[in-house]
Amino acid sequence: MIKTDILIIGAGPTGLFTVFEAGLLKLKCHLIDALPQPGGQCSEIYPKKPIYDIPAFPEVLAGDLVDNLMKQIEPFQPGFTLGERAQTIDKQEDGSFIVTTNKGTKHHAPVVAIAGGLGSFEPRKPPIPNIANYEDIGVEYIIRDPELYRDKKVIIAGGGDSALDWSIFLADVASEVTLVHRRNEFRGALDSVEKVQELKNQGRIKLITPAEVVDVLGDTHVNGVTIKQGEDTFNEPCDHFIPLFGLAPKLGPIGDWGLEIEKNAIKVDNSLDYQTNIPGIYAIGDVNTYPGKLKLILCGFHEATLMCQSAYQRIFPDKRYVMKYTTVGGVTGFDGTKKEAPKAVVKAID
């Protein structure tokens, strides 16, 4: 039985930052994640994609953000149960919880913080009959390592931000990038649409619209696709076909825990601490919903901070915590390390 102060379900950016905020309160954390490594979507889906709205970082790669968060929480020595999914939760007589994973690992904590992002993800696959035969041999639904496409011919299908952004990014990596979309209009950010148009005019991206990929070609590896455009059907050679039609999020077993759910998200009390309808269970980050909710990493950081204050009061109802700025008190890790600003030198004047 793994025992901790706060059990965090989900090791994405919000879950990782929770460890830091809890550590400042001397609370120990343990994280459960179905993925084999920390970082959530940032590690699994787009580690090489730049993020532009993290405070103090004009630009940071998603994977680097995770690395920095891991370094930030290292002094607080969090525990991890990775590659396992939180399956069941049982409330104890004292109000604490036992969470068991799909592999039978049990965790005991007085507070549970669900930071599972949008839940588990499954790619939305195009209705191409034989596409499953080419998965992992030229068909990818998620771009994890752009270097895989270095000097290759790539065909991307889709009309949203992901399709646009990766077409722009791979224009500097692949030998040839073709973007296929069933409409002439795109659903992405205006600047991305304009950038794709600019790259098309430069001959660096081939744009085929309105059209759709209807077949995948190849024997032991993808060597092309069949495209239908109006009444015409033609083959287009490629080394990789990447349909980017988004990911379908699912709460999974958490949806059966008796929590109040609204549109595949967990309803919380945002006026105080992001607690769910079950006292002691909180939901922070993209997994929660409340009036005015914005699904941004920086909002998850804010929610984690307030949640930890509430968790402290729940765990220690008779103690009063006086918040101190880290600029004043520094950061003391559980490993004995101490980070603090250098003290001013006081010298007597003769």
Side-chain angles (χ1 to χ4, degrees), residues 192-220:
S192 296
V193 176
E194 292 175 345
K195 182 64 175 178
V196 166
Q197 183 64 49
E198 180 184 340
L199 290 170
K200 177 198 172 189
N201 295 340
Q202 295 173 2
R204 297 175 60 197
I205 287 180
K206 185 175 181 180
L207 195 58
I208 304 178
T209 63
E212 59 182 327
V213 175
V214 295
D215 197 10
V216 182
L217 310 173
D219 294 323
T220 59

Side-chain angles (χ1 to χ4, degrees), residues 130-163:
N130 67 337
I131 193 167
N133 299 334
Y134 294 95
E135 293 172 359
D136 299 324
I137 58 170
V139 168
E140 294 90 30
Y141 304 106
I142 297 171
I143 296 177
R144 293 186 173 90
D145 181 11
E147 284 301 312
L148 177 66
Y149 309 102
R150 174 71 62 182
D151 301 325
K152 304 291 185 181
K153 292 182 178 180
V154 176
I155 293 180
I156 295 175
D161 284 314
S162 186

Side-chain angles (χ1 to χ4, degrees), residues 26 74-76 331-340:
K26 307 300 180 187
E74 187 176 350
F76 299 117
V331 176
T332 303
F334 296 164
D335 56 0
T337 59
K338 175 74 173 178
K339 293 181 180 179
E340 59 183 336

Side-chain angles (χ1 to χ4, degrees), residues 110-137:
V111 169
V112 174
I114 302 172
L118 294 173
S120 59
F121 290 86
E122 294 181 5
R124 293 189 176 98
K125 302 180 182 181
I128 299 174
N130 67 337
I131 193 167
N133 299 334
Y134 294 95
E135 293 172 359
D136 299 324
I137 58 170

Side-chain angles (χ1 to χ4, degrees), residues 320-334:
R320 181 173 177 267
Y321 173 74
V322 179
M323 190 188 80
K324 295 181 180 178
Y325 298 112
T326 56
T327 52
V328 176
V331 176
T332 303
F334 296 164

Side-chain angles (χ1 to χ4, degrees), residues 51-73:
I51 302 174
Y52 302 104
D53 60 354
I54 302 298
F57 284 93
E59 176 182 334
V60 60
L61 295 181
D64 291 342
L65 174 64
V66 172
D67 290 342
N68 289 340
L69 285 166
M70 290 294 289
K71 184 176 181 180
Q72 185 180 31
I73 67 175

